[in-house]
Amino acid sequence: MEWRDLPYEASPRGGEVEMLQFALDRVRQQFAWKTGGLGAEQLRQTHPPSAMTLAGLIKHMAFVEDGFTARAASQPLAAPWDTRSWVENDRWGWESAVADDPEELYALWYGAAARSRAAWQVLSADGGLEVVVEDPDPAWSANRRMIAFDLLEEYLKHTGHADILREAVDGLTGNDPA
Protein backbone atom coordinates (compact mmCIF):
# COMPACT_ATOMS: atom_id res chain seq x y z
CA MET A 1 0.00 0.00 0.00
CA GLU A 2 0.92 3.63 -0.26
CA TRP A 3 -0.57 6.96 0.79
CA ARG A 4 -2.80 7.12 -2.30
CA ASP A 5 -4.59 3.95 -1.15
CA LEU A 6 -5.87 5.54 2.06
CA PRO A 7 -9.48 6.78 2.20
CA TYR A 8 -9.72 10.54 1.91
CA GLU A 9 -12.72 12.73 1.21
CA ALA A 10 -12.70 16.48 1.63
CA SER A 11 -15.31 17.60 4.12
CA PRO A 12 -15.30 21.41 4.19
CA ARG A 13 -18.87 21.66 5.47
CA GLY A 14 -19.18 18.52 7.55
CA GLY A 15 -20.34 18.28 11.11
CA GLU A 16 -18.14 17.42 14.06
CA VAL A 17 -17.83 13.70 13.32
CA GLU A 18 -17.19 14.24 9.60
CA MET A 19 -14.57 16.94 10.28
CA LEU A 20 -12.80 14.76 12.83
CA GLN A 21 -12.73 11.83 10.39
CA PHE A 22 -11.53 14.16 7.63
CA ALA A 23 -8.71 15.52 9.82
CA LEU A 24 -7.60 12.01 10.79
CA ASP A 25 -7.76 10.79 7.19
CA ARG A 26 -5.75 13.76 5.95
CA VAL A 27 -3.02 13.43 8.56
CA ARG A 28 -2.85 9.65 8.05
CA GLN A 29 -2.28 10.31 4.37
CA GLN A 30 0.44 12.85 5.15
CA PHE A 31 2.09 10.46 7.63
CA ALA A 32 2.00 7.64 5.06
CA TRP A 33 3.54 9.92 2.44
CA LYS A 34 6.32 11.10 4.76
CA THR A 35 7.22 7.58 5.90
CA GLY A 36 6.44 5.56 2.79
CA GLY A 37 8.44 3.87 0.09
CA LEU A 38 11.70 3.53 2.00
CA GLY A 39 14.07 0.62 2.47
CA ALA A 40 15.27 -0.83 5.74
CA GLU A 41 18.43 1.26 5.94
CA GLN A 42 16.53 4.50 5.35
CA LEU A 43 13.84 3.60 7.91
CA ARG A 44 16.50 2.78 10.52
CA GLN A 45 18.60 5.91 9.99
CA THR A 46 19.07 8.04 13.10
CA HIS A 47 19.85 11.71 13.22
CA PRO A 48 21.84 12.42 16.40
CA PRO A 49 21.36 13.57 19.00
CA SER A 50 17.90 12.03 18.56
CA ALA A 51 17.53 8.25 18.49
CA MET A 52 14.18 8.56 16.68
CA THR A 53 13.81 6.68 13.40
CA LEU A 54 11.11 6.56 10.76
CA ALA A 55 10.76 2.84 11.54
CA GLY A 56 10.09 3.70 15.18
CA LEU A 57 7.53 6.32 14.18
CA ILE A 58 5.66 3.83 12.00
CA LYS A 59 5.48 1.18 14.71
CA HIS A 60 4.64 3.75 17.38
CA MET A 61 1.74 5.08 15.33
CA ALA A 62 0.47 1.56 14.72
CA PHE A 63 0.39 1.13 18.49
CA VAL A 64 -1.27 4.53 18.96
CA GLU A 65 -3.99 3.62 16.41
CA ASP A 66 -4.66 0.23 17.99
CA GLY A 67 -4.24 1.41 21.57
CA PHE A 68 -6.35 4.56 21.49
CA THR A 69 -9.07 2.79 19.53
CA ALA A 70 -9.14 -0.14 21.95
CA ARG A 71 -9.36 2.32 24.83
CA ALA A 72 -12.24 4.21 23.20
CA ALA A 73 -14.07 0.92 22.65
CA SER A 74 -13.30 -0.28 26.20
CA GLN A 75 -11.56 -3.30 24.70
CA PRO A 76 -8.25 -4.95 25.64
CA LEU A 77 -5.23 -4.52 23.42
CA ALA A 78 -4.94 -7.10 20.63
CA ALA A 79 -1.82 -8.70 19.16
CA PRO A 80 0.97 -7.75 18.91
CA TRP A 81 0.37 -5.39 21.85
CA ASP A 82 -1.47 -7.79 24.19
CA THR A 83 1.57 -9.23 26.00
CA ARG A 84 2.93 -5.98 27.42
CA SER A 85 1.70 -3.01 29.43
CA TRP A 86 0.92 0.29 27.73
CA VAL A 87 4.28 1.78 28.78
CA GLU A 88 6.19 -1.36 27.78
CA ASN A 89 4.47 -1.37 24.36
CA ASP A 90 5.45 2.21 23.76
CA ARG A 91 9.12 1.55 24.49
CA TRP A 92 9.08 -1.83 22.68
CA GLY A 93 7.63 -0.29 19.51
CA TRP A 94 10.27 2.41 19.24
CA GLU A 95 13.15 0.03 20.03
CA SER A 96 12.10 -3.11 18.12
CA ALA A 97 11.12 -1.35 14.90
CA VAL A 98 14.70 -1.03 13.69
CA ALA A 99 14.90 -4.83 13.41
CA ASP A 100 11.58 -5.16 11.56
CA ASP A 101 11.26 -5.78 7.84
CA PRO A 102 9.92 -2.67 6.06
CA GLU A 103 7.01 -4.57 4.50
CA GLU A 104 5.99 -5.85 7.95
CA LEU A 105 6.21 -2.35 9.45
CA TYR A 106 4.12 -0.84 6.68
CA ALA A 107 1.57 -3.68 6.89
CA LEU A 108 1.34 -3.25 10.67
CA TRP A 109 0.62 0.49 10.39
CA TYR A 110 -1.72 0.31 7.37
CA GLY A 111 -3.68 -2.48 9.08
CA ALA A 112 -3.94 -0.52 12.34
CA ALA A 113 -5.03 2.62 10.47
CA ALA A 114 -7.75 0.72 8.57
CA ARG A 115 -9.05 -0.99 11.72
CA SER A 116 -9.03 2.26 13.62
CA ARG A 117 -10.82 4.21 10.89
CA ALA A 118 -13.57 1.59 10.67
CA ALA A 119 -13.93 1.40 14.45
CA TRP A 120 -14.12 5.17 14.88
CA GLN A 121 -16.93 5.38 12.32
CA VAL A 122 -18.93 3.08 14.58
CA LEU A 123 -17.73 4.58 17.89
CA SER A 124 -18.58 8.13 16.87
CA ALA A 125 -22.04 7.47 15.41
CA ASP A 126 -25.22 8.59 17.16
CA GLY A 127 -23.60 10.66 19.89
CA GLY A 128 -20.91 8.09 20.51
CA LEU A 129 -18.24 10.73 21.07
CA GLU A 130 -20.04 11.63 24.32
CA VAL A 131 -19.52 8.13 25.77
CA VAL A 132 -17.24 8.31 28.80
CA VAL A 133 -14.51 5.71 28.93
CA GLU A 134 -13.75 4.97 32.55
CA ASP A 135 -10.25 4.25 33.76
CA PRO A 136 -9.12 2.83 37.12
CA ASP A 137 -7.33 6.15 37.57
CA PRO A 138 -10.14 8.75 37.40
CA ALA A 139 -7.69 11.32 36.03
CA TRP A 140 -7.50 9.21 32.84
CA SER A 141 -11.26 8.83 32.34
CA ALA A 142 -12.37 10.72 29.25
CA ASN A 143 -15.05 10.77 26.64
CA ARG A 144 -14.37 9.31 23.21
CA ARG A 145 -14.10 12.79 21.76
CA MET A 146 -11.05 13.47 23.93
CA ILE A 147 -9.49 10.14 22.94
CA ALA A 148 -10.08 10.93 19.25
CA PHE A 149 -8.44 14.33 19.71
CA ASP A 150 -5.54 12.64 21.49
CA LEU A 151 -5.16 10.36 18.46
CA LEU A 152 -5.18 13.36 16.14
CA GLU A 153 -2.65 15.16 18.34
CA GLU A 154 -0.28 12.16 18.23
CA TYR A 155 -0.49 12.16 14.44
CA LEU A 156 0.13 15.88 14.14
CA LYS A 157 3.15 15.72 16.43
CA HIS A 158 4.69 12.66 14.83
CA THR A 159 3.95 13.69 11.24
CA GLY A 160 6.05 16.75 12.02
CA HIS A 161 8.83 14.47 13.24
CA ALA A 162 8.48 12.35 10.09
CA ASP A 163 8.71 15.50 7.97
CA ILE A 164 12.08 16.43 9.45
CA LEU A 165 13.47 12.88 9.42
CA ARG A 166 12.34 12.22 5.86
CA GLU A 167 13.98 15.38 4.56
CA ALA A 168 17.23 14.27 6.21
CA VAL A 169 16.94 10.79 4.66
CA ASP A 170 16.29 11.69 1.03
CA GLY A 171 15.36 15.35 0.72
CA LEU A 172 11.58 14.90 0.40
CA THR A 173 9.85 18.11 1.44
CA GLY A 174 6.37 19.56 1.23
CA ASN A 175 3.17 19.86 3.16
CA ASP A 176 0.77 17.75 1.17
CA PRO A 177 1.26 14.66 -0.96
CA ALA A 178 -1.46 15.60 -3.45
Side-chain angles (χ1 to χ4, degrees):
M1 287 193 84
E2 65 168 12
W3 65 268
R4 288 176 183 88
D5 298 321
L6 293 170
Y8 178 79
E9 292 180 34
S11 184
R13 293 186 184 93
E16 177 188 30
V17 170
E18 294 82 15
M19 289 305 293
L20 183 57
Q21 187 68 59
F22 163 72
L24 282 166
D25 285 348
R26 182 168 67 181
V27 77
R28 282 182 185 117
Q29 194 176 70
Q30 290 168 337
F31 181 81
W33 176 54
K34 289 295 182 171
T35 61
L38 299 173
E41 191 172 309
Q42 293 168 308
L43 289 171
R44 296 171 183 157
Q45 188 174 340
T46 60
H47 308 277
S50 176
M52 190 179 292
T53 65
L54 288 167
L57 281 172
I58 294 167
K59 197 165 192 174
H60 173 71
M61 289 311 300
F63 171 58
V64 166
E65 285 275 17
D66 282 338
F68 283 32
T69 304
R71 181 167 181 250
S74 299
Q75 298 293 319
L77 291 169
W81 321 111
D82 57 342
T83 61
R84 288 169 292 282
S85 73
W86 191 275
V87 172
E88 291 168 331
N89 270 317
D90 191 43
R91 186 174 45 253
W92 174 75
W94 287 103
E95 294 170 358
S96 67
V98 296
D100 291 343
D101 178 71
E103 290 78 25
E104 291 172 7
L105 274 176
Y106 289 128
L108 180 67
W109 179 77
Y110 276 99
R115 286 188 301 277
S116 179
R117 185 180 195 280
W120 278 102
Q121 287 180 328
V122 173
L123 292 170
S124 60
D126 300 321
L129 293 178
E130 294 297 326
V131 171
V132 174
V133 179
E134 300 294 340
D135 191 272
D137 179 351
W140 287 98
S141 294
N143 65 19
R144 287 178 179 160
R145 177 180 291 102
M146 183 66 202
I147 297 168
F149 276 102
D150 285 346
L151 175 60
L152 180 59
E153 180 182 39
E154 281 283 314
Y155 264 113
L156 294 170
K157 175 174 54 176
H158 291 310
T159 300
H161 291 133
D163 188 39
I164 293 166
L165 295 176
R166 180 62 183 258
E167 183 177 3
V169 166
D170 68 0
L172 178 72
T173 59
N175 294 324
D176 199 340

